[in-house]
Amino acid sequence: MRNFIQPGNSLAIAVPYATGVSAGQGVLVGALFGVAAVDGVQNTMIEAATTGVFDLTKEPALAIAAGVRVFWDNTNRRITATATGNFQVGMATQAALAADATVRVWLNRVPAAGA
């Protein structure tokens, strides 16, 4: 196919955060969410994985059940189960206890409940 560019498993994006991003951290640019493959300072281009399963920092003291839709809290740069004001990124593939620092997330933009 002539117009095929790439599979889209990772994309080059500009780091939007003044404090930069570290490899393995989530990054949100507009409606595009990915996990940084490398460290980067603000406005530099980095590769970010857009598909796959990742252990991502979660909201402290929050227990998350397996299969729950999870959201990116871009202000605090972490996963939460709170939909309001946050960006849906996928689903938890394993339960995370309140004491856990991370939750295992399958990056998958699923439709809103009932859709």
Side-chain angles (χ1 to χ4, degrees):
M1 187 177 337
R2 282 199 245 180
N3 57 348
F4 178 80
I5 305 299
Q6 68 163 355
N9 297 331
S10 70
L11 298 172
I13 60 172
V15 175
Y17 306 119
T19 56
V21 68
S22 297
Q25 289 182 324
V27 60
L28 181 65
V29 177
L32 175 63
F33 181 81
V35 177
V38 296
D39 298 347
V41 297
Q42 188 175 31
N43 297 324
T44 59
M45 297 300 287
I46 63 163
E47 284 292 315
T50 57
T51 62
V53 179
F54 298 88
D55 288 333
L56 297 174
T57 302
K58 70 169 188 65
E59 181 180 336
L62 175 67
I64 299 176
V68 169
R69 294 170 194 263
V70 292
F71 304 83
W72 182 248
D73 171 355
N74 203 42
T75 300
N76 296 298
R77 293 170 57 183
R78 64 188 182 200
I79 295 295
T80 183
T82 303
T84 304
N86 297 310
F87 184 81
Q88 186 174 322
V89 295
M91 292 178 273
T93 63
Q94 295 179 355
L97 302 175
D100 293 338
T102 63
V103 60
R104 189 153 293 167
V105 175
W106 173 37
L107 299 185
N108 180 28
R109 296 286 308 277
V110 293

